[in-house]
Amino acid sequence: MIAAGAASMGRAATPAPGAQSSRLPRAVSRLRLVLRSSEAAARSGSKRWIGCFRPSPSPATAAAGAAVVKEAKGKRPEVEVEPARGGGEDVWSADAETEVAQGGAFPEHLVIMVNGLVGSADDWKFAAEQFVRRMPDKVIVHRSQCNSATQTFDGVDLMGERLANEVLSVVEQRRGVKKISFVAHSLGGLVARYAIGRLYEPNSRRKSSGGESRDDVVHLNGHIAGLEPMNFITFASPHLGSSGNKQLPFLCGLPFLERRASEAAHLIVGRTGKHLFLTDNDDGRRPLLLRMVDDSDDLQFRSALRSFKRRVAYANANFDHMVGWRTSSIRRQHELPKHRLLVRDEKYPHIVYVEKEVTDNNETKAHADHYDPEEEMIRGLTQVPWERVDVSFQKSTQRLVAHNTIQVKSYWLNSDGADVINHMMDNFIV
């Protein structure tokens, strides 16, 4: 039976010679139709197919990117990128280089951009180019590369030392610069704070007091790497660490998960994890983040911050799964703006709240018998005034990656953050 069935199947599968010859033209016709369809798809449908993988721009993006679109229609200033001698990349305008060649002055303002955890210099590509195109004769941007990928697991202190050395190398190479600013994302904000503590140079002079025989020492704002400090700006940086409740939002505020994260962080991200969760005690010293809110003998963290004309903390009010709102905005829970106070600006549709410079209000300590390291860090950091800018991508299709969207890490995936970058540049002190 099996043999008979096989024979019958074989007979059914073997077409008659006439049928085979009649099907051949039909197959050729179908092949031509498929080829025509493929060509049509290449001409008209490929962009739609690629668009499936590109986030659709929201109205906010259209408003935020208006300046970029207008610039694209006109003549866009060319951007020059050159590897820096000490690492990283320097970005400046080709127009500025031409002016220097003709005997003009090189841009005087050096902007240092610092990436976050497992990041690289490419993370600031969009913002760096916008800076140079907006202020071609004023700024030169250095995208730091000394702490990239797994190097960000080495700890805030070691990364800060590397960044400080890289900055000194850039300043040595670009002798025409006179001012310096820092723009940092996520963990890069802590690294930048450590680096400026290392680079800070106090500046004091003696001023004769009228009617008195002795001189009074007047302390002036110091310098950073020998340059005048201007702006210190962070984006979604965990200034208070990640150990507090809901400071690492993807843990959903569950105490047992937060305890496990604190215990296992060093197994995942090395010494950096210990610093973020305040579990480090190198040589019996206090956790590094607690020491970084004040001056010490060899590192002037607070004085370095005070030397800048502006300190700004951009913070995601929601949908940031890596850094909580309190830690990135350096606030207590009750100080966070209420939802009813959040507003929307047509020019900056994702900027929902702006708080001008505020220092510690010296409110009385609650539960004086209970030590709270987060409270100590807030009090230390707010001894110098900070501007807070709260950001929300709640209505954006890119809200689930808000931690990267706030800096426009990749324009394809994070373009809705362009208005936040524009806000930073519009308020930048040159």
Side-chain angles (χ1 to χ4, degrees):
M1 293 175 62
I2 296 176
S8 63
M9 289 176 64
R11 287 195 297 271
T14 305
Q20 185 174 4
S21 61
S22 63
R23 289 177 183 173
L24 183 58
R26 193 184 310 168
V28 173
S29 300
R30 288 180 179 175
L31 180 59
R32 288 175 178 170
L33 180 60
V34 170
L35 292 174
R36 291 194 193 102
S37 301
S38 301
E39 291 173 0
R43 289 193 301 267
S44 61
S46 59
K47 291 184 179 180
R48 290 194 300 270
W49 181 82
I50 293 173
C52 295
F53 298 92
R54 182 187 299 174
S56 56
S58 64
T61 309
V68 178
V69 172
K70 182 185 293 185
E71 186 180 51
K73 291 181 179 179
K75 181 181 178 182
R76 299 183 65 177
E78 292 187 11
V79 174
E80 296 287 342
V81 179
E82 177 183 300
R85 187 168 55 196
E89 294 179 337
D90 291 342
V91 185
W92 69 91
S93 171
D95 295 342
E97 188 175 25
T98 302
E99 185 175 343
V100 171
Q102 296 174 353
F106 200 77
E108 296 182 349
H109 198 147
L110 175 63
V111 181
I112 305 293
M113 289 189 151
V114 190
N115 60 270
L117 191 68
V118 201
S120 70
D122 290 338
D123 296 352
W124 281 113
K125 183 177 186 296
F126 173 81
E129 292 179 355
Q130 296 308 308
F131 247 123
V132 170
R133 290 185 173 121
R134 180 79 70 87
M135 311 168 189
D137 58 336
K138 294 182 174 63
V139 302
I140 176 171
V141 178
H142 176 78
R143 298 186 316 201
S144 173
Q145 184 66 28
C146 63
N147 298 304
S148 60
T150 55
Q151 289 178 312
T152 58
F153 300 166
D154 294 340
V156 173
D157 51 356
L158 183 54
M159 287 188 288
E161 295 288 352
R162 286 198 293 248
L163 177 60
N165 291 331
E166 185 176 346
V167 171
L168 290 173
S169 178
V170 174
V171 172
E172 177 68 21
Q173 184 178 1
R174 308 294 181 187
R175 292 185 175 273
V177 296
K178 299 179 181 179
K179 304 174 183 178
I180 190 169
S181 293
F182 285 79
V183 178
H185 175 248
S186 192
L187 178 66
L190 299 180
V191 177
R193 278 176 45 202
Y194 188 99
I196 64 173
R198 173 64 70 192
L199 296 170
Y200 177 72
E201 303 167 4
N203 183 19
S204 61
R205 62 180 173 84
R206 292 191 174 275
K207 178 181 178 182
S208 178
S209 56
E212 297 182 6
S213 58
R214 65 181 180 85
D215 290 338
D216 294 331
V217 177
V218 179
H219 293 279
L220 307 175
N221 287 337
H223 290 83
I224 301 295
L227 306 177
E228 181 183 2
M230 302 299 288
N231 307 268
F232 188 87
I233 304 173
T234 62
F235 287 79
S237 292
H239 290 287
L240 310 179
S242 304
S243 62
N245 182 244
K246 295 183 179 180
Q247 299 292 50
L248 195 58
F250 78 85
L251 298 178
C252 304
L254 299 175
F256 75 95
L257 286 180
E258 292 178 341
R259 285 196 300 271
R260 294 295 179 269
S262 177
E263 296 167 358
H266 69 284
L267 301 176
I268 303 172
V269 290
R271 291 183 70 245
T272 300
K274 289 187 175 184
H275 291 156
L276 288 174
F277 285 90
L278 311 182
T279 58
D280 57 303
N281 60 346
D282 298 338
D283 301 325
R285 291 181 296 178
R286 306 179 71 211
L288 178 63
L289 295 192
L290 293 178
R291 288 183 275 130
M292 283 175 56
V293 302
D294 205 346
D295 291 342
S296 61
D297 294 336
D298 56 338
L299 294 166
Q300 308 294 311
F301 296 117
R302 184 183 296 177
S303 296
L305 275 176
R306 182 179 283 114
S307 68
F308 286 85
K309 288 182 168 52
R310 291 176 71 233
R311 291 148 299 276
V312 190
Y314 284 83
N316 279 313
N318 44 38
F319 289 100
D320 191 326
H321 303 298
M322 300 303 299
V323 178
W325 191 6
R326 294 199 323 275
T327 187
S328 55
S329 63
I330 319 176
R331 292 189 183 108
R332 303 169 180 88
Q333 182 65 36
H334 69 272
E335 295 173 338
L336 297 175
K338 302 299 184 288
H339 183 74
R340 59 183 174 80
L341 297 178
L342 302 182
V343 297
R344 290 194 177 275
D345 189 324
E346 292 184 0
K347 187 176 181 181
Y348 314 111
H350 297 112
I351 303 293
V352 295
Y353 194 82
V354 177
E355 183 178 19
K356 294 303 181 182
E357 289 190 346
V358 175
T359 52
D360 189 15
N361 55 12
N362 292 319
E363 59 184 43
T364 57
K365 287 186 179 180
H367 309 293
D369 56 337
H370 176 68
Y371 171 69
D372 184 1
E374 186 173 305
E375 176 66 23
E376 179 180 348
M377 286 185 284
I378 292 176
R379 287 179 174 274
L381 287 171
T382 54
Q383 292 302 309
V384 297
W386 286 82
E387 299 176 35
R388 278 89 164 197
V389 182
D390 299 304
V391 179
S392 174
F393 296 103
Q394 185 170 3
K395 296 184 178 180
S396 167
T397 58
Q398 301 165 5
R399 59 184 176 273
L400 296 180
V401 287
H403 187 66
N404 293 333
T405 300
I406 196 172
Q407 73 158 153
V408 194
K409 182 175 183 178
S410 167
Y411 191 76
W412 271 50
L413 298 175
N414 314 115
S415 58
D416 280 4
D419 65 309
V420 182
I421 300 299
N422 287 337
H423 183 275
M424 173 190 67
M425 291 188 293
D426 288 343
N427 294 277
F428 198 79
I429 299 179
V430 180

